[in-house]
Structures are given as C-alpha cells and as structure tokens.
Amino acid sequence: MKIAKRIASAVVVAGAALMAQGAMAADISNPDVALDLSSGGDIFGHLFTGNNAANTFAERYTFTLSEGSSIFADTFSSSGNAKNGLDILGLSLFNDDGLVLKGTQLSTGKTDQWELTSGPLAAGNYFLLVSGTVLSKAAGAYTGSATVTAVPEPATYGMLLGGLGLVGAVAARRRKSQDAA
C-alpha cells in the first residue's frame, strides 16, 4: 500500500510538472529590426494583437555607430489602466561584447517610460533591447525613438576656445581704438 501511494504521488508530481511546462509564457518577439540612424534618428515599436496575455517579448533593434557617437533612446507604452496593455521591463544597449548600458525607468503603471543616454561610444555594431510582458488579452503597443549625435573631438574644443579668444581680442582692440579717438 505504501508503494502504491508513493507511485501515485510521484505520478501526481510529474503530471504537475508537465502541466506547468504547458502554462509557461510564450516569447512573441519580433525578429531583429535594423534601425537607420544615418539621418540622426529613427523610430521603432511593436503592436501586439489580442490574446497574448502573460506572453513575453525581448526585441532587438540593431544599428552601427561611427567613432565618438553618443545615443539617446526612449520607449513609451500607455494603457487604460495598470492591468491592460504592456509592462515594459527594460531598455538596454548592447554591443558585440555584451551589455554596455542599462536604461532608466521613468514611470510604470498606466504609462511605462524608459530612457537611455550614453556618452561617447566606440565605432561598431550595437543593438537596443526592449523587453517586457503583455498584461492582458487586449491589444497593446509600445513606441520608441533613437537619436545619435557625433561627439566633438577634444581638438575641436581647443579650436572653439581659440576662436573665442580671437573674437575677444578683436573686440578689445576696437574698444581701445574707439576710446583713443
């Protein structure tokens, strides 16, 4: 009798484990999307149709940077209440070596908003990773934007300061010649 109970309990535990596998959330991510930052920026996003409650996503937006560029990116998702729509869980920047920078969550609940700002980055291939969970069977969406700016070389700052010095010297010389007259 004890052996039969042990076998029955083992079957129940195994069945529960198999049922739990079936209840796991599905990954509904889009394939990688290439961003075109050649004109300074691009927008991205995803519309999730209904019947995706509890499913997860981790979407990659790829791009290439030239030497000394910096990037600003943000994502935004709004829903009628905290139980509908999406829960954006992260915005991160990666390169071929791995994680470069994690974004900052600005708000969560009815509105999920994340932003990411980098300093100068080396030339190379990068991607933004937007991850989250669909909260309800209703449709939900997020949008985002990425802008890239060139960071001036230190020599550029030196030339700027030199030019300002020359303008100041010319102005002082004019003022001195007007005072003398």
Side-chain angles (χ1 to χ4, degrees), residues 83-106:
K83 294 182 180 178
N84 290 327
L86 307 176
D87 186 13
I88 298 176
L89 301 174
L91 172 65
S92 302
L93 177 66
F94 289 82
N95 65 10
D96 293 334
D97 296 327
L99 179 66
V100 174
L101 184 64
K102 287 185 177 183
T104 303
Q105 185 176 36
L106 302 178

Side-chain angles (χ1 to χ4, degrees), residues 128-155:
L128 291 169
L129 180 69
V130 179
S131 58
T133 302
V134 180
L135 297 175
S136 69
K137 291 184 177 182
Y142 73 85
T143 59
S145 65
T147 55
V148 64
T149 54
V151 177
E153 296 284 330

Side-chain angles (χ1 to χ4, degrees), residues 49-144:
T49 57
N51 296 323
N52 281 312
N55 290 337
T56 61
F57 58 93
E59 301 185 331
R60 292 169 43 135
Y61 296 93
T62 62
F63 56 94
T64 301
L65 289 179
S66 59
E67 186 71 34
S69 297
S70 65
I71 187 163
F72 172 81
D74 65 343
T75 60
F76 178 82
S77 173
S78 182
S79 53
N81 61 52
K83 294 182 180 178
N84 290 327
L86 307 176
D87 186 13
I88 298 176
L89 301 174
L91 172 65
S92 302
L93 177 66
F94 289 82
N95 65 10
D96 293 334
D97 296 327
L99 179 66
V100 174
L101 184 64
K102 287 185 177 183
T104 303
Q105 185 176 36
L106 302 178
S107 65
T108 187
K110 281 186 171 184
T111 302
D112 279 5
Q113 185 175 6
W114 286 75
E115 79 175 18
L116 180 142
T117 304
S118 78
L121 297 167
N125 297 318
Y126 291 86
F127 68 89
L128 291 169
L129 180 69
V130 179
S131 58
T133 302
V134 180
L135 297 175
S136 69
K137 291 184 177 182
Y142 73 85
T143 59

Side-chain angles (χ1 to χ4, degrees), residues 22-37:
M24 288 179 58
D27 182 358
I28 54 172
S29 302
N30 272 336
D32 291 359
V33 175
L35 295 179
D36 180 8
L37 301 178

